[in-house]
Amino acid sequence: YAFWQTVIEVGGRYAKFDISADFLQHSLKEKPEDLHIVDGKVIDEIKKDNQFKEKIIQIIHKYGKEKNEFVAKGDDVSISFNNKDLYFSIHSSNMVVKGKNSNGKWELDIALDDIYDYSAPKDIKKYYFDTNSISKSIFSSTLYNLASASMKLGVMKEYKIYINFKVNEDEVRQ
């Protein structure tokens, strides 16, 4: 527990990974409740993330072609983020996008869900291409594997994260 408090303060807050720090802190509670996020920093950061913007544009092109409404979900709409704070806190989340074309512009309802867990140890190779640095890869995989052990020991607990917000096509194309 003390180790993770240090990670939160030094690796999270000091390094400006506030979302990751908040989610980690939540996992250290005795019985963390699922998080339901409908506004605030997490959504602001998602809306600014280039990977998110590119994914939404791809979804509009694929599902909205010659339609006024669509619902996109499944494997081809899951998302990972460029923003490292989002990447480490939300990982690869499931996404549902409901689109409605209004006056030639898409209005989109976004629903993301993820499980905050570190259920199985990871091989360092998983992180190599994410960090572009062997030392960062070792550091990331070591932290992940320590988190996995902490989950098994009950220091960290699993919980679900639900994020819901609206975005319009103009915001995504900025």
Side-chain angles (χ1 to χ4, degrees):
Y1 180 85
F3 170 77
W4 291 114
Q5 290 299 329
T6 304
V7 169
I8 289 167
E9 291 306 318
V10 176
R13 309 252 186 255
Y14 181 74
K16 305 273 190 240
F17 281 30
D18 295 326
I19 299 167
S20 297
D22 290 345
F23 286 6
L24 175 55
Q25 184 72 59
H26 190 72
S27 78
L28 296 173
K29 292 181 178 180
E30 187 66 33
K31 294 181 181 177
E33 295 179 6
D34 294 345
L35 294 180
H36 298 270
I37 301 168
V38 295
D39 61 12
K41 181 179 175 97
V42 174
I43 292 171
D44 293 342
E45 292 301 315
I46 290 171
K47 285 181 175 182
K48 291 189 291 189
D49 186 78
N50 288 333
Q51 186 71 19
F52 171 76
K53 290 178 179 185
E54 289 173 18
K55 187 64 150 184
I56 295 301
I57 290 168
Q58 290 171 1
I59 290 169
I60 290 170
H61 286 294
K62 181 175 181 177
Y63 291 91
K65 193 172 188 171
E66 299 180 24
K67 295 180 183 176
N68 287 325
E69 293 184 24
F70 68 83
V71 175
K73 57 185 173 180
D75 290 341
D76 63 335
V77 294
S78 67
I79 182 130
S80 291
F81 299 97
N82 283 343
N83 175 307
K84 290 299 182 191
D85 194 11
L86 291 173
Y87 176 82
F88 288 119
S89 58
I90 302 175
H91 310 296
S92 180
S93 72
N94 300 312
M95 184 165 62
V96 175
V97 179
K98 295 178 182 177
K100 184 173 183 178
N101 196 323
S102 177
N103 298 324
K105 295 287 181 182
W106 286 100
E107 299 290 330
L108 306 153
D109 287 316
I110 310 292
L112 295 156
D113 69 83
D114 192 22
I115 298 174
Y116 189 89
D117 74 333
Y118 294 91
S119 53
K122 297 286 183 189
D123 188 320
I124 190 172
K125 293 174 195 167
K126 159 106 173 75
Y127 290 91
Y128 183 73
F129 296 110
D130 292 339
T131 63
N132 297 320
S133 161
I134 292 174
S135 60
K136 286 182 183 177
S137 296
I138 292 169
F139 180 72
S140 295
S141 61
T142 300
L143 273 181
Y144 188 99
N145 290 337
L146 285 170
S148 178
S150 294
M151 282 266 175
K152 286 181 176 70
L153 294 171
V155 175
M156 294 171 62
K157 287 89 175 178
E158 180 178 295
Y159 62 92
K160 294 179 182 175
I161 302 167
Y162 301 98
I163 304 169
N164 299 90
F165 61 96
K166 295 181 184 299
V167 67
N168 63 50
E169 185 175 359
D170 290 337
E171 290 176 280
V172 175
R173 294 193 184 276
Q174 292 179 2

